[in-house]
Amino acid sequence: MSKVTTINKAISEHVKDGDFLFIGGYICRTPYAAIHEIIRQGKKDLTVTRSNAADDFDMLIGAGAVKRFIATFLSLGFFGLGRCYRRSLEKGIPHKIEVEEYTNLSLPTMLMAGAMGMPFAPVRDMAGSDLMKVKSFMGDNKYKVIESPFDGAPTVLVPALNPDVAIIHVQQSDETGNAQIWGIGGDCQHGANAAKKVIVCCERIVSRDIIGKDPSRTIVPDYKVAAVVEEPFGAHPGYTPGFYDTDFKFGNVYKTASSTEDGFKRFLDEWVYGVKNRNEYIQHYIKSYGYASFKKLEAEFDYGYPVSYSY
Amino acid sequence: MAAKQLDGYIKPELMACCGAREIQENDIVLVGTGFPTMAANIAKHTHAPNARLMQESGVYDARPKRPALSVGDPCLNPGAAMIGGLMDIMGMGLQAGNVDVGFLSGSQVDKFGNINTTCIGDYENPKSRLPGSGGANPIGSLVKRVLIIALHDTRRLAEKVDFITTPGYIDGPGAREKHGLPPGTGPHVIITNKAVMRFDKSTGEAYLDTYHPDTTVEEVVKSTPWDLKVSPDVRETEPPTEDELRVLREVLDPKRMISAYISRGYV
């Protein structure tokens, strides 16, 4: 049964105020189209997580959608610190979010445990650091230290995470949600499979036969998926391997805008509230920066080596 | 002794070369962006051709056509030997004990090589909120040799960091082991814009090993907020060799993106 829908319907039907969301992407394949729709629909009190958060989380925090953040990191990368994140934690603007801090080893391990139905998992980092001293909304369940039952060594355990919804952006999916990626994965596969249901945004919807040409690329099987949305250019200003490059110029636009409260509001008015959907966003981009700018982001056409699964 | 001017190179280039010299043939190196990538690649093109790089985002042995601007940069994808996700690199690579060298930088670094990338001031009410650990804590916890890049002044270096995001020798010898961190791991060197500092294993403290050609021992000691011990063999940092500069300027970074670090205080 086809699960193809629009981003508007996918978010309104599957994301509720107060939900716990995993949002995939690692500079690579960030689901910006969905992020903007969450903001447009005024979702609030969300708990959000991903290893290495960036502009997208900063924007959700600045827009007031986030209550809690299970974090490892948030920055604008090349463009420095997350301005909205700082305003929230330093000045309570628009409100102070609660942050539970882990690392890029412990958090993906917690998502992996969640994806595999494990109750918790041991990790070999965090020990001896002040990350062990600060606890937020997870309280004493942030972690436990035990003596390993096998050799008595001090061992840090972290809990499994099972988000209500995962939102990911992938290269291609079929109509039922078998979702395929190539290139840098971040914690996307474990985060998606840890969630109770998944919203798949993709550059293109392909047939089940095409998925079957290279099934090793599927990171989420369709039984996990609640909605499939075709959203070309949906990860802009991030990139999608094989489709388009990172838009550094736009990264700078966000950095400059988000440096002040007013600038950030104007950014949302122009790029989020001022457009109804990704199509209008692309049209607005082309109007603002020219078709040549848009076209320049397009990836070179360079197919990989075709694989054979025959026997 | 009066300090000299740098002769025909800029400070970020010298620092990248200092990093490169810490990398040995066959090392597996977990890198971030900027200096680390350039340092590791200088090593690869000079004395350590079989050193191999990985990025936490999921990349092993990338062959980028331009310097990567982030650990998730598009240019890392085509040509890599392996691409997976975080658990492939941070789990099966790093946690399993396969990584020799990790590069880290911090807003604040203390004498035990502890690094703060979380907050300046009180955690609950920070004066300045920084990005957080990301991959830094596990890299600092689990690689054999941590190479730390820092700015050298009494604000960036500290007797004690405001927040230990990434453990160095914590509060002295034996502390890492007591907390269960693997033996044979920890900070190896701090490379700053003024000096190269190494660690005295008997105290866990960083001491001055070499000072850069445009500074002096006295100036380095004065710019360090702890009672910096000076190696009896202290000497001037070797300037970049012609070969190192050729690789950096002609092969790795023809657009001289490294000069951007000058505006970030690396002078």
Side-chain angles (χ1 to χ4, degrees), chain A residues 26-27 51 72-74 81 86 90 96 101 104-105 109 124-127 129-130 183-186 239 245-246 248, chain B residues 56-57 59 69-70 72 74 77 83-87 90 95 123-124 128-129 131 133-135 137-138 163-164 179:
Chain A
Y26 198 104
I27 306 162
S51 308
T72 73
F73 184 88
L74 192 156
L81 301 170
R86 287 191 67 177
E90 293 169 15
K96 188 164 178 169
E101 301 208 45
N104 283 1
L105 172 60
T109 302
R124 303 193 69 171
D125 66 345
M126 301 214 297
S129 76
D130 288 345
I184 287 168
Y239 76 103
D245 196 356
T246 303
F248 280 105
Chain B
E56 63 180 30
S57 53
V59 182
L69 293 177
S70 76
N77 284 299
I83 296 189
L86 276 159
M87 292 308 286
M90 302 304 272
Q95 186 167 240
Y123 178 78
E124 296 298 338
S128 187
R129 174 64 214 203
S133 162
N137 174 289
F163 189 97
I164 302 180
H179 286 286

Side-chain angles (χ1 to χ4, degrees), chain B residues 104-180:
Chain B
L104 294 175
S105 59
S107 300
Q108 216 183 20
V109 178
D110 72 20
K111 64 178 178 182
F112 293 118
N114 300 310
I115 302 172
N116 176 14
T117 50
T118 299
C119 60
I120 301 297
D122 176 53
Y123 178 78
E124 296 298 338
N125 294 292
K127 203 169 113 217
S128 187
R129 174 64 214 203
L130 307 172
S133 162
N137 174 289
I139 291 169
S141 299
L142 297 164
V143 301
K144 297 182 184 93
R145 310 198 302 283
V146 181
L147 314 183
I148 302 170
I149 308 280
L151 282 172
H152 205 132
D153 60 45
T154 51
R155 199 165 57 92
R156 309 300 186 117
L157 299 180
E159 172 84 22
K160 191 175 184 306
V161 289
D162 293 358
F163 189 97
I164 302 180
T165 313
T166 302
Y169 295 106
I170 307 174
D171 56 7
R176 286 178 71 90
E177 293 75 7
K178 190 186 79 193
H179 286 286

Side-chain angles (χ1 to χ4, degrees), chain B residues 16 18-32 35-41 43-44 47-48 50-56 59-60 89-90 93-95 97-105 135-136 138-149 176 184-191 198:
Chain B
C18 289
R21 294 165 193 164
E22 301 299 324
I23 291 166
Q24 299 165 11
E25 180 62 324
N26 296 319
D27 274 347
I28 303 295
V29 187
L30 190 38
V31 297
F35 279 117
T37 317
M38 290 187 197
N41 276 311
K44 252 183 104 66
H47 62 278
N50 200 39
R52 277 143 298 156
L53 278 56
M54 43 172 65
Q55 280 82 7
E56 63 180 30
V59 182
Y60 171 64
I89 298 298
M90 302 304 272
L94 176 66
Q95 186 167 240
N98 294 304
V99 181
D100 299 297
V101 177
F103 271 99
L104 294 175
S105 59
I139 291 169
S141 299
L142 297 164
V143 301
K144 297 182 184 93
R145 310 198 302 283
V146 181
L147 314 183
I148 302 170
I149 308 280
R176 286 178 71 90
T185 58
H188 184 67
V189 67
I190 305 176
I191 298 165
R198 293 181 189 278

